[in-house]
Amino acid sequence: MSTKYAPLAADIVRLVGGKANIIEAYHCQTRIRFVLRDESAVAVDELNATDGVAKSLSNAGVFQVVVGTHVQDVFEEVERELGDLSTNAAAHNGAAAAADEASAGKKKNPGTAVIEFVASVFQPVIPALSGAGMVKALLALLVVLNLVSRESQTYALVNMFADAVFYFLPVLLAFTAAQKLKISPILAAAVAAMMLHPVWTAMVAKKDPVSFFDVLPVPLATYSGAVIPIILVILAQAYVERFLTRVVPKSVNLVFVPMLTFLIMGTLALVVLGPIGSILSGYLGSFFGFLSTNAAWAPPLLIGATLPVMVMFGLHNGVAPLGVLQLAQTGKESIFGPGALVSNIAMGVASLVVAFRVRDKKTRQIATAGGITGLMGITEPILYGVALPKRYPLIAAMIGGGAGGLYAGLTQTHRFATGSSGLPAVLLYIGDNSLQNMINIIIALVIAAVVSGALTFLLSFKFEKPTVDNPATEAAPSLEEEAFSSSGRHGSAAASGTTATLVRTETIQLAAPCAGSVVPLSQVSDPVFASGAMGPGIAVEPSEDTIVSPVSGTIAVAMKTGHAFGIKTDDGAEVLVHVGIDTVTMQGAGFHNPLARGARVEAGQRLVTADLKTIREAGHPATVLLVVTNGPKDAPVQPLAQGAVTPGTLIAAVGR
């Protein structure tokens, strides 16, 4: 087995805090996911700068490292590095880890906790659902082409291959839910099997009243393919099993805990929790029916337009299972699948257009590879490597995905099995003895691709700066550190310093470096900055401590005090980020974990944490100043936002 990813795996484990900081590790299609004891121990900036890591982020209590579609290979090496994590997990479950769980709980609101739980339960089952879905799609195609008859034994057997996953879905979900809840997956799967036993299904089919000990009536409900009932059952089983483990003597624990679990949970499952889950599923089915009749256009439109943003915040993990529920209830699905498919194709096409338009070799390679994987349904490499840094492909893809999703919704396009959300997934839309749904989704994909591609191409002329390869052009000098001292001490020197004028007429767009209110540079309290002597720019009165980069580029200058940075963009613009007025006198007090010189930053990436209270108590305005230092001093500044802004919002376009 190849070990080429061993160095990367070792770096990842080290930078997330080492084995001792890792409670659990698993992966999805593009990300390695860690449950950590202390996320503050992660070297985020160094991790993001590691070759082979596209992005790292924390969401819903899980720290995620995006590495791409070869995640399985990297994860195998991570597992080698970690070895046996049982000691860590045991400590996490025991009294010593109670503080860990309590602190983690403080960070999560109920909505976040629900999304995390649902995602962790469904994520491991996705390969089985995808495989079964593709088997069903292939079988539907064979039927449409008259290669297989629905009455044949071949059809029955192949259909059984796929239906087994959906029929026994409660068993699979019981197993994964138990893993998440840290109880016995085998006992959980056994309880789920009780709800699917042929004896029970025969009683339901017979429709005669059933009672337990001639006292407790047992509602007749079918649980094959059900989702909500088994989740309710396993949530209850977690409390029952832990209680029994605690009170049953250790000497007989192995026998009596399973026995009592089966008796208690079997009764609860069939008499109380299962029927409640069935009622909830019925309401959910009515909701899906309402959507299909009255607002079929809405889900594909919303998912198609917003899926990239949902992926960024992990919200898609809470929505995607609704598609599985709808499929289980109605036999077809339109809540998530059509919108996700058109969104992914729109992202893939946008990335390929970027690869065609850019000149930077590394960006072209990332965009090309990401575009291909995007068309196959994996968009994280595009999202973090292309769309977010450049932004205009993200905007174009969201508009294109929304357009394709709207068509899919208006034509009430459904898929008949779950699976990937890439080009091969068009086969999932064959059903009802017709190709109409497949034709509709193909049209929707064409709409998404054309709109996304055209917008990306047009926007690229505005946002992609042409490379000037003119040796006669005067090169801009490097940023001088004394220019980044607050003007209170070095204002005159900075004002008289020389800067070269770039021979360009484009503008550079500056994003908000923090949450706060936009202020014209002319209104700041420092006369040198206000006069424009340092260069044109804009300012923000901050309301939060985190200061992020307003542009993508390389940190050419980083003051040791952490109060100022000089960032050189890929096309040569030099941008000063200055936190506070005369804050050089604070000698670094109030500035925490600044990035170092030479670091690569993307727009929106953290530069430093500035304690606004400390700055203001020291008598300094905390205004964050953004200045383009190597352009014409009188270059026009076009405000792009007013009033309150959030980090990353475009706030000004400065002429160069």
Side-chain angles (χ1 to χ4, degrees):
M1 181 179 293
S2 172
T3 59
K4 69 175 184 177
Y5 294 111
L8 173 59
D11 286 340
I12 291 174
V13 171
R14 174 176 59 85
L15 294 173
V16 299
K19 179 179 177 180
N21 194 41
I22 300 172
I23 297 168
E24 182 182 358
Y26 56 101
H27 72 89
C28 57
Q29 291 176 305
T30 59
R31 313 175 188 195
I32 300 174
R33 299 168 182 261
F34 296 97
V35 178
L36 302 176
R37 293 186 180 282
D38 180 11
E39 286 195 5
S40 67
V42 179
V44 176
D45 298 324
E46 188 178 352
L47 182 61
N48 287 334
T50 300
D51 189 22
V53 174
K55 180 77 173 179
S56 68
L57 63 154
S58 178
N59 184 266
V62 177
F63 192 83
Q64 306 171 20
V65 181
V66 183
V67 297
T69 53
H70 54 285
V71 63
Q72 175 65 45
D73 297 327
V74 180
F75 184 72
E76 288 179 0
E77 297 302 329
V78 168
E79 285 187 308
R80 290 177 184 271
E81 288 286 328
L82 296 179
D84 185 8
L85 284 177
S86 59
T87 302
N88 291 13
H92 182 63
N93 291 327
D100 291 343
E101 292 186 346
S103 63
K106 293 177 183 177
K107 301 176 184 177
K108 302 177 189 175
N109 58 44
T112 297
V114 169
I115 290 175
E116 177 192 350
F117 178 73
V118 171
S120 62
V121 169
F122 276 88
Q123 197 71 247
V125 182
I126 287 177
L129 292 173
S130 299
M134 291 306 295
V135 171
K136 275 189 165 291
L138 176 62
L139 186 59
L141 180 62
L142 294 176
V143 170
V144 170
L145 297 177
N146 292 320
L147 297 176
V148 172
S149 168
R150 285 184 175 274
E151 290 73 32
S152 68
Q153 292 179 338
T154 299
Y155 178 92
L157 289 172
V158 176
N159 193 50
M160 182 188 70
F161 297 163
D163 272 350
V165 174
F166 296 99
Y167 185 90
F168 292 104
L169 183 60
V171 177
L172 301 179
L173 293 178
F175 193 93
T176 58
Q179 288 182 314
K180 173 63 180 176
L181 296 170
K182 306 298 182 185
I183 60 175
S184 170
I186 299 300
L187 296 185
V191 170
M194 298 174 192
M195 302 169 70
L196 302 175
H197 196 281
V199 171
W200 173 247
T201 56
M203 289 180 176
V204 174
K206 194 174 180 181
K207 298 183 179 179
D208 290 338
V210 177
S211 63
F212 200 55
F213 289 106
D214 296 323
V215 175
L216 294 174
V218 183
L220 299 177
T222 301
Y223 300 112
S224 59
V227 173
I228 296 178
I230 194 60
I231 290 179
L232 293 178
V233 168
I234 302 308
L235 284 172
Q237 182 171 331
Y239 291 97
V240 171
E241 188 176 324
R242 287 171 184 154
F243 173 76
L244 293 174
T245 301
R246 187 167 62 250
V247 301
V248 172
K250 298 297 182 184
S251 58
V252 294
N253 190 290
L254 183 63
V255 175
F256 284 96
V257 168
M259 181 192 78
L260 294 173
T261 297
F262 289 161
L263 290 173
I264 295 171
M265 291 312 306
T267 303
L268 287 176
L270 294 180
V271 176
V272 181
L273 299 175
I276 291 175
S278 292
I279 293 172
L280 294 176
S281 296
Y283 286 128
L284 196 59
S286 299
F287 169 71
F288 293 141
F290 173 82
L291 278 183
S292 298
T293 304
N294 300 281
W297 55 270
L301 168 62
L302 293 175
I303 298 297
T306 64
L307 183 62
V309 177
M310 295 174 70
V311 169
M312 288 165 52
F313 294 100
L315 299 178
H316 66 302
N317 291 320
V319 178
L322 290 178
V324 179
L325 292 172
Q326 185 188 25
L327 186 66
Q329 291 288 318
T330 66
K332 55 182 69 174
E333 192 271 315
S334 60
I335 294 291
F336 186 77
L341 180 53
V342 296
S343 175
N344 289 345
I345 298 306
M347 286 283 286
V349 170
S351 186
L352 291 176
V353 172
V354 170
F356 174 74
R357 286 285 296 133
V358 299
R359 297 187 181 185
D360 179 70
K361 184 177 180 181
K362 182 178 180 180
T363 302
R364 187 184 299 121
Q365 289 176 341
I366 294 173
T368 300
I372 294 172
T373 58
L375 295 179
M376 293 298 106
I378 307 298
T379 59
E380 279 90 341
I382 306 171
L383 182 61
Y384 298 117
V386 179
L388 283 176
K390 291 186 172 292
R391 298 192 180 177
Y392 74 88
L394 177 61
I395 296 171
M398 291 176 69
I399 295 173
L406 179 60
Y407 177 85
L410 291 175
T411 55
Q412 297 190 29
T413 301
H414 294 81
R415 62 177 177 173
F416 298 88
T418 59
S420 69
S421 293
L423 286 177
V426 296
L427 295 177
L428 302 176
Y429 293 79
I430 302 174
D432 288 344
N433 296 319
S434 170
L435 295 176
Q436 189 58 51
N437 281 278
M438 186 176 76
I439 293 172
N440 285 339
I441 197 63
I442 290 174
I443 295 174
L445 295 182
V446 171
I447 293 172
V450 170
V451 173
S452 175
L455 285 176
T456 305
F457 185 76
L458 292 174
L459 290 173
S460 69
F461 288 97
K462 176 178 177 61
F463 292 98
E464 293 294 345
K465 305 298 188 295
T467 303
V468 179
D469 298 321
N470 185 354
T473 302
E474 183 180 3
S478 300
L479 296 162
E480 298 296 333
E481 290 206 4
E482 52 266 25
F484 294 97
S485 302
S486 184
S487 59
R489 284 190 174 187
H490 302 287
S492 59
S496 61
T498 60
T499 57
T501 300
L502 294 178
V503 186
R504 292 191 177 107
T505 59
E506 300 89 356
T507 61
I508 178 171
Q509 293 187 323
L510 302 177
C514 56
S517 299
V518 177
V519 178
L521 195 63
S522 60
Q523 295 182 14
V524 303
S525 59
D526 184 287
V528 175
F529 282 113
S531 68
M534 292 287 294
I538 199 163
V540 174
E541 287 293 344
S543 60
E544 294 181 359
D545 292 347
T546 300
I547 310 300
V548 303
S549 177
V551 293
S552 298
T554 302
I555 298 179
V557 173
M559 292 296 292
K560 294 179 180 179
T561 53
H563 77 285
F565 302 85
I567 303 171
K568 188 167 186 177
T569 68
D570 295 335
D571 62 346
E574 295 177 353
V575 179
L576 162 64
V577 181
H578 198 292
V579 185
I581 304 297
D582 201 27
T583 44
V584 66
T585 60
M586 297 180 66
Q587 296 296 312
F591 295 90
H592 307 292
N593 302 317
L595 294 188
R597 177 178 180 178
R600 170 74 188 182
V601 292
E602 303 296 338
Q605 182 177 337
R606 191 192 72 87
L607 290 173
V608 66
T609 300
D611 189 332
L612 302 182
K613 182 179 179 181
T614 299
I615 293 172
R616 288 163 178 155
E617 287 179 349
H620 303 287
T623 312
V624 181
L625 307 137
L626 307 180
V627 178
V628 178
T629 59
N630 67 334
K633 293 290 191 296
D634 58 351
V637 177
Q638 177 187 358
L640 300 178
Q642 296 180 342
V645 293
T646 56
T649 303
L650 293 178
I651 57 175
V654 180
R656 292 171 52 207

